[in-house]
Amino acid sequence: MTEETANTPAANTAAGPPDEETAAASGTPQAPRLPMLLEAVLSVGTDLELRATLQQIVDTAAALTEARYGALGVLDTERGTISELFTSGLDDTERQRIGHLPDGHSGMLGVLIDEPEPLRSDDLTTDPRSCGVPPGHPPMHSFLGSPIRVQKQVFGNLYLTEKRTGHFTDADMALMRVLASQAGIAIGNARLYEAARQRERWIEGAAAVTTTLLTGENAVDALMTVAEGARVLADACAGVILQPNKEGGMEIVTASTLDDPAGIVGTTIEPGSALLVQLLGGEPVFIEDSATDPRMTTHVRTRFGPSMMLPLQSGGRLIGTLALPRRRGDRPYTAADRQLASQFASQAALALVLADAQHDREQLAVYEDRDRIARDLHDLVVQRLFAAEMMLESTRRRAAAPESDELLGKAVDELDSTIQEVRTAIFTLQQPPAEVPTTFRGRVLRETRGAAAVLGFQPSVHFDGAVDTLVRDPVDRRLLAALRSALATAHRRAGVSAIEVEVDATAVLPDGRAAVRLAVADDGRDEDGSRSPTFTWQAPL
């Protein structure tokens, strides 16, 4: 048989299919594994959730190549390290024994990061490139690694160790290349889906915060709304608002945290620090580890790790800074996280400015309405009352009977008193509305002053004990509601000309517990003519 005959297709066909060793040497996947490869290619990427896709890839690769252990390391392109590691073949006990997983700075993982090409080793224990294996890691000998590229950019690396039947072959490497190529497509799709969902969440969150701010919340609640919304969207452990203080520094005025916020509110960044210069200049600050970054000087920095500090500014006006720290050891913020959070901060700042402007417009409308009511009272009501008083006075002088003179005199006195009260009301309306009192004592007095406009006289109020210190939420709200109800009831009684209100924070319940007691007494009469009983309400402190 000549050489040409030996090389004809017929001769090759007669020789039969290549055996397993030949296929392995040539890098061709063996026929029994082709259906598994096809099934894996079809299944990878069926889940658009990125983390589920990554776990599916590493599990599939380990099963295809008969590897005991597998891992997929996601690269942080900014730092050149592994930011997340998905594993296969390790149980919970082995994970705890390993402790901290490698970050890719050294060993075979580091080689694959520095040189993103397929890598194979038959024995890691003798390979000089192998180092940095965690002490608790199970024994490993054979190794196979391959980069995963997404649109020509290395997304991460796939690692397989301990082939159950010996060493990894060229056929295993071919399987790895095919799977890595398909994994790149699946990861690209999952990343696009994840980015779209993340952007949608931030947009919806920003819209919800804006809507809430424009419903008329006060300044403190508005800042808390921004801090809470940003904390949830950024998956941070705290949302913090800082504002410039009189000393030239910045102070934490609002904090939304999952844990105890004690010690956070009131923390100050002192003037002169490099961090403060950036924040007051409206520049965002991104920190890898708050506990170790030399720019962080506050005592609360030890609680936190990665952090974003974003200016809240609109139209050149700096409202404050939004800080979003994560716990120490949590994953760092990505470039997409930073961009979306910065856009949220810009929109939140604009919403705060708009809410403040809306509040000013509402206040102006209140002032204008009060001024109009005052003018109407002065021009119409007072003038008519005064004319009626003059007519009665003239009639009184012409009246002959002493009884008529007395009755007309009383009517004139009543009209004169009414005119004085209306003039007082006009003066009050022309003054700016008083701010809502912050103390409990102030809120009680505000309720009684409001009732005086309806009753025609000012109820007397007496306090016993340190009411501002002892009476707290929700008892204070319940007591104020009971006071309003008692004053309204007294107004409906006949002949009420005096009301006495007493708030006693030194009261004691029958079981010995400290309590606050409210007593409201008036001089009116019930329908049957009897004196009205004293209204009493009490609650434990």
Side-chain angles (χ1 to χ4, degrees), residues 33 65-68 142 161-168 172:
R33 286 198 285 179
T65 58
E66 299 179 336
R68 184 180 299 275
S142 55
T161 61
E162 285 298 284
K163 184 176 175 66
R164 300 178 189 275
T165 57
H167 303 305
F168 291 107
D172 293 323

Side-chain angles (χ1 to χ4, degrees), residues 121-122 136 150 169 178 245 330 390 491 515:
S121 177
D122 290 338
V150 178
T169 64
V178 173
N245 57 20
D330 281 0
M390 297 301 294
H491 173 62

